[in-house]
Amino acid sequence: MPAQHLTPILLCLLAMWRIQTPVSSHPQYNHCQLVQKTAVCNSAELSSVPARLPENLEEIQLNYNQIKTLHDNSLLRYPSLITLTLACNGLERVQSNVFQDSKLLENLNFANNNINTGYEETSVALRKLPGLRFLDLSENKLNNEMASTLLHNLSSLEYLNLSGNLLQRLDETSFRHLHNLKELDLQRNIMFEIDSAFGSNPKLQRLNLAFNYLPCLTDFNMTQMVVLNASYNFIEWFISRQDLNETFQLETLDLSNNRLLFFPFLPSRSKLQNLYLSHNILRFYENLVDNNTLQNSTTSIEFYNLRKHMKNVTAQLWDDNLHGDISSLDTLDLRGNQVDYFPDGFIKKMPTLSRLRMSMNCLETLNLSSEQFFGSLYELDISNNRLNQISADDKLLTTLGNLTYINLSRNDLKELPFGLFSSLQRIHSVDLSYNNIGICLPDETNINVNNITSCVQWNNIGSLRQLYLKGCNLETVPTSAFMGLSLTHLELSDNPGIDVQDSLQSLSRTLQHLGLGNTQIQDIDLSHFQSLKSLNLSKNFLFHLPPSLHDIDLKVLDIRDNRLSTIPSGQAHSLASKLQTIFLTGNMFNCCQTEWFKTFETTKTVNMIGKSDIECQDILAMTHRVQDSQMFLCLEAGESILWYILLLVPICLCLTGISIVVFLAYKSKILQKSIKKKYLKPTSY
């Protein structure tokens, strides 16, 4: 470069180094933002690596640019580079000597590019990185052959991301050189088979196989594995090696959203803490052993390794004792299966279980005593089953002192053990929605010989904070129903005709959320509820908003599907100064009284959910969207629609007359012919 040009360029570079933009206090340099020893050059429309950044950089971010080729001389200036990210560039070629002087490079991100185009040359370049620990090749259209070539001799790798590619089958050669690999992400490929693929990876602890096409996982023997995610596949069987004396280090196993028929055959010795089996077709079959119809049926099945014809696994299908070691289990998620009972002693095998999630199954009865739940239980969700009976003795209820959340909603419960909730010392949240359980009157007990009651006494349960009683057919709520409670959330929606005005007063100090949707309520006084932040009054018969809303500091208000025609200006301004979210759809507002809409719209802190769907009617009963105010036909104050009718009638008559005259003037010949045809008839001579 000529010497006369050097001085201006240096001055420009110096100026760029010193300039501080209003957005950031970090210096700008060649479309890049410098933060200590990191250059952030994302979304800068670059076609190559910037050549004049500081030489001591340790990280360069070049995501979302247009760098198609990484040339041999691209990184010569940056020998201290540790991290290089080039995601989303359309990168096709990485020349073989580009990393010749990048001996310190540890982290390399090539995600969402086209590495498949020049993968052979790229593989040569990668082999010149002796300290590479992190490599992201996700979303690069790589097939098995390409991936194997790229990973050849990368023995230093600890983290590898191959998600979103075109891998179909893994075998013992796939990762044979990756002896130090600790974490591998293979989700969102099209894999249908894994055959001894991880035998060369003794340090592999985290494996993600989600969103593939795997039909089964058998002969699982990776004792060092800590987290395995195989969700969203087509897995019907999970069978681990039962003959190993070594303890499996597995802590989290995710087999959700598969096609599991049976509870997985877990290791006989493990540290498993979290087991996710939701959304399968799993059930237990022990009760079928005594079924006379199955006397001639086999109760075992053998799985052969058809490729080597050597090893096989035999499983007793109806033996529910093959659950493996679940003694350390903390979370068991069985939502969305077909479980209709627990095998004898199943719950007892999990003394540390704290979260049991059983919603959307087929349970009809639950005996808390015979199942022998331990005191560690913290969350119990048996919603959306077929429960019609729950049994528990006083001793068991005392044992469940740690139970905090219980969800029994959407069942067929009509009775409950007396004192079920008052005996739980730490109960915080109860959901009994959509059952037929009432609230006991002060002098009502209704306890039968089995210590069962058809109603619940909620008062004086000091730890209770959230109570959900939606759709319980409640009509009468005693004044003392919630005495002694410090509820923050109370949901009473979908109880048409319920009267709660008096019973709510004892909660005025603590209540933060109140749900009264679809209760046929027309008015309610909430002026004393100074802690109330969220209120649901949807699907009622409100012709106007309760005046007491002016006195409380609401943040969320749901008044959908009512009969509101307008919101008075003063009330709108008061609500707008406090609200963060409001639901207004389903009301037929008056198009000529929509000042409230402008108030909410101009208040930037208020979010009107479904704003474009809020409708109104004008004076001609035509429906419009409230935000299309220019289309409304409205009257000024004191005007009568009669004047508009008197004005329109003469105009319409004049237009009709003009149309007739014009028609006759231009169609005179047609008129003459029609007259002649009608009146001038030919004579007979």
Side-chain angles (χ1 to χ4, degrees):
M1 182 179 291
Q4 62 268 28
H5 295 301
L6 288 176
T7 301
I9 291 176
L10 289 174
L11 289 174
C12 289
L13 292 175
L14 183 61
M16 292 178 66
W17 178 268
R18 292 180 177 177
I19 290 176
Q20 294 183 353
T21 65
V23 177
S24 172
S25 59
H26 301 295
Q28 305 295 312
Y29 202 106
N30 278 17
H31 306 290
C32 301
Q33 186 182 64
L34 299 179
V35 184
Q36 295 180 351
K37 294 184 179 182
T38 298
V40 181
C41 312
N42 300 325
S43 303
E45 299 184 0
L46 298 173
S47 58
S48 62
V49 179
R52 293 186 176 87
L53 296 173
E55 296 182 6
N56 64 341
L57 285 179
E58 295 181 357
E59 180 177 354
I60 301 179
Q61 298 180 16
L62 292 162
N63 305 317
Y64 298 99
N65 283 290
Q66 301 166 11
I67 302 175
K68 307 298 182 185
T69 301
L70 205 56
H71 296 282
D72 284 336
N73 60 352
S74 296
L75 303 175
L76 289 177
R77 181 178 172 84
Y78 312 112
S80 302
L81 203 60
I82 297 175
T83 300
L84 176 64
T85 63
L86 278 157
C88 305
N89 272 273
L91 184 65
E92 298 177 352
R93 287 189 62 201
V94 179
Q95 293 187 351
S96 57
N97 292 317
V98 66
F99 299 125
Q100 189 69 40
D101 296 324
S102 302
K103 303 302 181 183
L104 300 179
L105 193 65
E106 296 182 359
N107 308 307
L108 187 58
N109 187 346
F110 284 160
N112 204 348
N113 283 294
N114 297 314
I115 298 297
N116 61 307
T117 302
Y119 73 95
E120 292 180 327
E121 189 174 12
T122 300
S123 69
V124 176
L126 292 177
R127 290 173 209 163
K128 297 177 180 178
L129 292 172
L132 188 62
R133 296 173 55 244
F134 176 104
L135 177 60
D136 191 341
L137 293 173
S138 60
E139 305 286 347
N140 271 285
K141 307 178 189 66
L142 302 175
N143 59 27
N144 290 68
E145 180 185 355
M146 296 173 184
S148 180
T149 302
L150 286 165
L151 299 175
H152 186 70
N153 280 339
L154 299 185
S155 58
S156 62
L157 269 188
E158 296 180 10
Y159 174 90
L160 174 61
N161 190 344
L162 287 172
S163 64
N165 281 292
L166 303 174
L167 304 181
Q168 296 181 350
R169 183 181 180 278
L170 302 180
D171 58 27
E172 62 272 9
T173 65
S174 300
F175 308 110
R176 61 183 175 184
H177 300 289
L178 309 184
H179 307 302
N180 290 302
L181 194 62
K182 296 179 180 179
E183 185 168 347
L184 176 59
D185 192 343
L186 293 169
Q187 65 176 313
R188 298 185 187 279
N189 277 274
I190 52 176
M191 291 188 301
F192 57 86
E193 184 179 2
I194 296 177
D195 184 11
S196 305
F198 309 111
S200 302
N201 315 118
K203 298 181 180 180
L204 186 60
Q205 295 182 339
R206 304 177 71 91
L207 176 60
N208 192 343
L209 298 171
F211 297 98
N212 278 284
Y213 297 88
L214 298 173
C216 60
L217 289 177
T218 59
D219 200 28
F220 176 71
N221 60 357
M222 302 174 68
T223 57
Q224 84 284 359
M225 185 69 64
V226 176
V227 177
L228 173 59
N229 182 0
S231 60
Y232 292 94
N233 278 274
F234 295 85
I235 297 173
E236 296 182 352
W237 297 88
F238 179 88
I239 302 177
S240 58
R241 285 277 293 274
Q242 302 293 314
D243 57 348
L244 295 178
N245 293 324
E246 189 175 352
T247 299
F248 282 71
Q249 302 301 310
L250 190 64
E251 295 180 359
T252 299
L253 174 60
D254 190 347
L255 295 171
S256 59
N257 294 277
N258 278 285
R259 296 180 178 178
L260 284 174
L261 297 165
F262 297 86
F263 197 85
F265 291 72
L266 299 171
S268 55
R269 297 182 181 181
S270 77
K271 299 180 179 179
L272 191 61
Q273 298 177 13
N274 306 297
L275 181 56
Y276 302 105
L277 303 173
S278 62
H279 303 291
N280 282 280
I281 48 178
L282 182 152
R283 58 181 300 190
F284 298 105
Y285 299 91
E286 185 182 54
N287 57 356
L288 297 179
V289 175
D290 299 326
N291 193 325
N292 294 329
T293 61
L294 296 177
Q295 287 182 350
N296 297 324
S297 301
T298 181
T299 61
S300 65
I301 187 170
E302 292 186 353
F303 297 90
Y304 290 91
N305 187 328
L306 298 179
R307 185 180 179 192
K308 298 182 179 179
H309 302 283
M310 293 173 60
K311 296 182 180 180
N312 66 78
V313 177
T314 301
Q316 296 293 324
L317 292 184
W318 316 126
D319 187 355
D320 285 335
N321 291 318
L322 292 176
H323 304 135
D325 184 2
I326 53 177
S327 60
S328 301
L329 212 57
D330 177 84
T331 300
L332 176 58
D333 189 348
L334 282 166
R335 293 172 299 161
N337 281 282
Q338 298 178 9
V339 177
D340 54 358
Y341 79 101
F342 293 123
D344 291 339
F346 177 69
I347 299 295
K348 189 178 180 179
K349 292 181 179 180
M350 300 176 281
T352 62
L353 185 66
S354 67
R355 291 173 172 83
L356 178 59
R357 297 166 183 165
M358 291 291 302
S359 63
M360 295 177 287
N361 276 280
C362 307
L363 291 174
E364 295 184 2
T365 62
L366 178 64
N367 192 323
L368 295 173
S369 300
S370 64
E371 299 297 348
Q372 295 182 303
F373 284 92
F374 287 89
S376 58
L377 193 62
Y378 175 81
E379 175 189 345
L380 179 61
D381 183 357
I382 314 184
S383 60
N384 220 329
N385 276 261
R386 302 171 184 173
L387 280 179
N388 55 58
Q389 181 182 351
I390 295 181
S391 305
D393 56 39
D394 295 338
K395 182 179 179 181
L396 183 280
L397 293 178
T398 304
T399 303
L400 296 177
N402 197 47
L403 188 56
T404 304
Y405 297 90
I406 184 166
N407 188 348
L408 300 173
S409 63
R410 297 186 182 276
N411 281 287
D412 193 26
L413 292 170
K414 297 180 177 63
E415 297 176 327
L416 289 173
F418 179 74
L420 172 61
F421 304 114
S422 58
S423 301
L424 302 175
Q425 302 172 2
R426 297 186 181 179
I427 193 66
H428 183 277
S429 175
V430 175
D431 193 343
L432 275 177
S433 300
Y434 302 103
N435 286 285
N436 289 308
I437 303 293
I439 299 177
C440 293
L441 297 172
D443 56 347
E444 184 179 13
T445 53
N446 288 343
I447 305 173
N448 62 21
V449 293
N450 295 320
N451 205 32
I452 298 295
T453 178
S454 60
C455 62
V456 179
Q457 288 184 340
W458 296 106
N459 54 335
N460 297 317
I461 304 179
S463 61
L464 191 61
R465 294 293 180 270
Q466 300 177 1
L467 180 58
Y468 302 89
L469 298 173
K470 293 179 66 174
C472 289
N473 299 317
L474 299 176
E475 294 181 358
T476 302
V477 180
T479 304
S480 60
F482 307 120
M483 286 286 189
L485 297 183
S486 299
L487 290 182
T488 58
H489 290 66
L490 178 60
E491 185 57 72
L492 296 171
S493 298
D494 295 338
N495 288 292
I498 190 173
D499 182 8
V500 293
Q501 179 67 70
D502 295 332
S503 58
L504 290 178
Q505 296 307 313
S506 60
L507 302 174
S508 60
R509 183 178 56 86
T510 59
L511 202 60
Q512 298 177 14
H513 168 83
L514 177 59
L516 292 173
N518 190 26
T519 56
Q520 298 179 356
I521 196 170
Q522 295 185 12
D523 198 4
I524 188 170
D525 182 10
L526 298 171
S527 56
H528 299 294
F529 290 73
Q530 297 304 312
S531 299
L532 196 63
K533 302 299 180 185
S534 174
L535 178 62
N536 179 5
L537 294 175
S538 63
K539 298 181 181 179
N540 282 298
F541 297 98
L542 296 177
F543 290 91
H544 58 82
L545 292 182
S548 58
L549 298 187
H550 177 79
D551 302 322
I552 55 179
D553 188 23
L554 275 182
K555 301 302 179 186
V556 179
L557 177 61
D558 188 348
I559 47 176
R560 287 174 290 184
D561 301 311
N562 276 282
R563 301 182 180 181
L564 299 174
S565 61
T566 188
I567 300 176
S569 179
Q571 201 169 35
H573 280 90
S574 176
L575 290 173
S577 65
K578 306 170 185 177
L579 283 178
Q580 296 176 353
T581 304
I582 186 169
F583 300 83
L584 290 159
T585 57
N587 290 283
M588 192 52 65
F589 291 101
N590 186 342
C591 290
C592 301
Q593 297 178 0
T594 57
E595 293 80 6
W596 56 268
F597 184 85
K598 298 174 183 177
T599 300
F600 289 140
E601 193 173 35
T602 55
T603 305
K604 302 301 182 182
T605 56
V606 178
N607 180 20
M608 281 190 288
I609 304 298
K611 180 170 66 173
S612 61
D613 296 324
I614 302 174
E615 296 180 335
C616 65
Q617 284 188 344
D618 61 16
I619 60 174
L620 299 178
M622 296 180 64
T623 301
H624 306 276
R625 295 189 301 177
V626 175
Q627 65 180 14
D628 299 333
S629 56
Q630 69 278 3
M631 300 175 63
F632 303 163
L633 179 59
C634 294
L635 302 175
E636 297 294 334
E639 288 184 328
S640 171
I641 193 171
L642 180 61
W643 294 109
Y644 284 89
I645 295 175
L646 294 175
L647 180 63
L648 289 173
V649 168
I651 295 175
C652 292
L653 291 175
C654 289
L655 290 175
T656 303
I658 293 172
S659 300
I660 292 173
V661 171
V662 171
F663 178 79
L664 293 176
Y666 288 95
K667 302 293 183 179
S668 57
K669 294 182 179 180
I670 297 175
L671 181 62
Q672 292 174 6
K673 289 181 179 179
S674 63
I675 293 173
K676 289 180 180 179
K677 184 176 180 181
K678 185 173 183 180
Y679 296 105
L680 299 180
K681 298 181 180 179
T683 60
S684 57
Y685 53 90

